[in-house]
Amino acid sequence: MSIQEQQTKLNIGLFGFGVVGEGLYKVLEHTPTLNAQIKKVCIRHPHKKRNAPAELFTTDADLLLNDDSINVIIELIDDSAAAYNIVTTALRKKKAVVSANKKMIAEHIEELIALQLLFDVPFLYEAACCASIPIIRNLEEYYDNDLLQGLSGIVNGSTNYILTKVSKERISFNDALKQAQEAGFAESDPSLDVNGIDAVNKLSILLAHAYGIITPPDALIHTGIQNLNNDDAIFAKEKGYEIKLVAQARKLADGNIAAFVAPQFIESDNQLASVKNEYNGVVIESSLADKQFFYGKGAGGFPTASAVLSDLSALRYNYKYEYKKLRYQVPSALTDDFYVKVCISFKALLQVPHERFDKILEWSSNEQRCHVTGILHFSELVKSNWWKQPNVSIVFYPDAIIDNYVPEKTGVLQEEFVEQLC
Ligand code: HSE
């Protein structure tokens, strides 16, 4: 059989005609070789002006889901509860599905994997992590579990855009956020970006494909850029760093995985330092290949549409994720049993329980804030909330995860620290 005969003609039912949906529509119009055609688009607001023929649109989801000639559903809507209903209904009807809804996927990944297997249909979502960067398919296909030592990435374009603009152009946080919203990078609820929730949703999806770990995103330690302040940026600069919001996972010596999302000091020679504005970047470390760097636009209509397009193209050959690390290998397990080197900045001494540090390495204070650098057991962050209070910020150091650390409990330094600050 020729390749052409093996290819499936894709009749698409599209949900959503926002920045990404319209981007995809335009791209498909100019990609006849894909053998794909949008048959109907389901939208919520029928009176909004659209740049496509009116007969393409409907507000009736069932018109798409019950149409047997539609063999692919593309879900690009904002509302994750509605997206869940669309995607699960489509999979049960044995339609292939492409989605970019990271929140919905992260929160329901176990069930979504089960449905794919039960109904033997593809469900692809490359656009859900890092938009234009083909990170999911690479983790799924290329990196064997045993060789994958870790990944660290800037996976949220909006916060990276804000951090870049605030530090390079000295515009205010709110103005930078506004620009990110106007450019279509931010979530419609931008607190999902700012508080690290979008990034942790993406990390939980990456963990499934990197290590076969299925975890609800809110079970992973995460914080965003909401509590960072100018003093933190100045402190970082004095040390030759800049601060980025980083999602990371690392295999420890016992084979278990440490994973979290938090601001991190980035050295100038780290590949992530070159990631500016809405770009994303992921550094993958593997035992034999050392470091590899994936880089590209992580938000915006066309970059996201390009990943959807790539999924569509894969569907012509009936490509499915196999979840190899989960199904054919012993999946790795998450652990909280490791130490981390962090900098905590705060206003009032009482906000930070200094005695919980195993070791305080350095401290400084000025009229505005105190900065403490020390080594903490990671479980301290899991079981307590002091580091999340307003006016307290946490930034992880480069190579923050210290595996096989031998606790020192250097109380004397801590007493000096308290004396100096009181
Ligand atoms: N709000 C997301 C971001 C969009 O800024 O990365 C892409 O997932």
Side-chain angles (χ1 to χ4, degrees):
M1 202 188 288
S2 74
I3 288 184
Q4 273 74 17
E5 281 166 318
Q6 288 171 26
Q7 289 178 8
T8 311
K9 162 112 179 67
L10 306 175
N11 274 325
I12 300 165
L14 172 63
F15 283 83
F17 205 72
V19 189
V20 184
E22 188 174 340
L24 179 72
Y25 171 76
K26 284 185 189 151
V27 172
L28 278 181
E29 268 192 320
H30 299 106
T31 322
T33 48
L34 201 58
N35 203 15
Q37 178 213 349
I38 296 183
K39 196 166 173 207
K40 249 331 173 222
V41 183
C42 184
I43 43 158
R44 199 159 21 151
H45 304 293
H47 303 300
K48 219 164 152 181
K49 183 161 171 17
R50 320 264 173 189
N51 296 319
E55 59 274 16
L56 206 57
F57 296 98
T58 175
T59 52
D60 182 1
D62 287 339
L63 217 57
L64 283 65
L65 293 167
N66 292 334
D67 182 340
D68 288 337
S69 72
I70 288 180
N71 55 3
V72 181
I73 292 293
I74 301 182
E75 177 282 304
L76 300 174
I77 64 173
D78 215 25
D79 174 345
S80 65
Y84 168 79
N85 287 332
I86 292 162
V87 168
T88 51
T89 306
L91 291 174
R92 287 177 200 283
K93 289 179 181 285
K94 286 181 88 62
K95 295 183 193 297
V97 181
V98 176
S99 169
N101 202 313
K102 51 266 159 121
K103 184 172 187 299
M104 184 276 291
I105 296 164
E107 286 172 357
H108 298 283
I109 194 158
E110 192 166 12
E111 182 187 351
L112 293 168
I113 293 173
L115 283 175
Q116 290 165 69
L117 296 175
L118 184 64
F119 293 97
D120 192 25
V121 272
F123 174 45
L124 304 182
Y125 41 83
E126 188 63 70
C129 290
C130 304
S132 69
I133 306 176
I135 189 69
I136 295 179
R137 231 183 290 169
N138 271 292
L139 288 172
E140 176 73 24
E141 300 299 334
Y142 187 83
Y143 292 97
D144 187 78
N145 202 357
D146 290 338
L147 299 178
L148 191 60
Q149 293 307 312
L151 60 89
S152 60
I154 293 169
V155 299
N156 179 270
S158 301
T159 44
N160 201 52
Y161 184 90
I162 294 168
L163 291 172
T164 309
K165 293 285 171 189
V166 169
S167 101
K168 298 281 175 254
E169 294 176 23
R170 307 236 167 262
I171 63 171
S172 74
F173 181 96
N174 283 339
D175 285 347
L177 173 59
K178 222 165 129 200
Q179 285 185 11
Q181 287 177 292
E182 281 162 10
F185 305 147
E187 300 300 297
S188 48
D189 171 3
S191 69
L192 296 176
D193 296 297
V194 172
N195 296 346
I197 297 165
D198 182 70
V200 81
N201 285 335
K202 290 166 179 168
L203 179 61
S204 106
I205 296 171
L206 294 177
L207 283 170
H209 293 277
Y211 291 114
I213 291 174
I214 302 298
T215 178
D218 58 8
L220 294 165
I221 283 290
H222 62 279
T223 185
I225 62 171
Q226 69 275 28
N227 289 351
L228 293 178
N229 57 73
N230 277 345
D231 275 307
D232 296 335
I234 293 166
F235 180 88
K237 208 166 175 192
E238 280 169 5
K239 292 188 170 301
Y241 299 135
E242 61 180 306
I243 300 176
K244 300 274 194 190
L245 183 63
V246 176
Q248 57 186 296
R250 174 154 303 280
K251 188 186 280 181
L252 304 182
D254 63 6
N256 290 327
I257 306 297
F260 52 91
V261 171
Q264 189 185 316
F265 293 127
I266 300 289
E267 301 142 300
S268 55
D269 63 353
N270 184 324
Q271 288 87 346
L272 296 183
S274 65
V275 180
K276 310 282 186 206
N277 295 319
E278 79 276 23
Y279 279 80
N280 284 184
V282 183
V283 177
I284 290 192
E285 283 178 55
S286 87
S287 315
L288 301 177
D290 200 1
K291 288 186 180 170
Q292 289 164 309
F293 181 42
F294 291 77
Y295 172 76
K297 284 198 170 172
F302 284 124
T304 311
S306 88
V308 173
L309 200 68
S310 169
D311 281 349
L312 269 180
S313 175
L315 284 180
R316 288 183 305 167
Y317 308 101
N318 208 26
Y319 174 78
K320 297 185 184 82
Y321 300 138
E322 285 185 67
Y323 301 93
K324 295 187 183 73
K325 324 283 172 67
L326 178 66
R327 295 174 60 218
Y328 307 138
Q329 299 176 15
V330 179
S332 304
L334 285 171
T335 180
D336 296 335
D337 190 11
F338 57 96
Y339 283 83
V340 284
K341 182 176 172 186
V342 294
C343 174
I344 309 283
S345 101
F346 51 98
K347 259 192 159 156
L349 182 59
L350 286 179
Q351 286 181 297
V352 172
H354 59 89
E355 70 285 355
R356 308 270 176 89
F357 281 87
D358 179 69
K359 188 174 178 181
I360 290 174
L361 300 164
E362 191 187 317
W363 62 88
S364 59
S365 62
N366 59 30
E367 276 161 25
Q368 312 300 323
R369 291 186 80 77
C370 309
H371 285 92
V372 179
T373 291
I375 296 179
L376 268 177
H377 196 268
F378 191 73
S379 62
E380 175 61 27
L381 303 177
V382 178
K383 62 181 185 235
S384 63
N385 263 335
W386 54 264
W387 57 278
K388 278 190 169 171
Q389 294 174 74
N391 281 323
V392 177
S393 62
I394 185 166
V395 184
F396 285 67
Y397 272 80
D399 301 318
I401 297 168
I402 314 173
D403 202 1
N404 292 329
Y405 175 76
V406 180
E408 293 185 24
K409 290 270 177 259
T410 48
V412 181
L413 272 182
Q414 286 171 356
E415 279 160 28
E416 281 174 39
F417 158 71
V418 176
E419 264 171 34
Q420 281 214 359
L421 291 179
C422 292

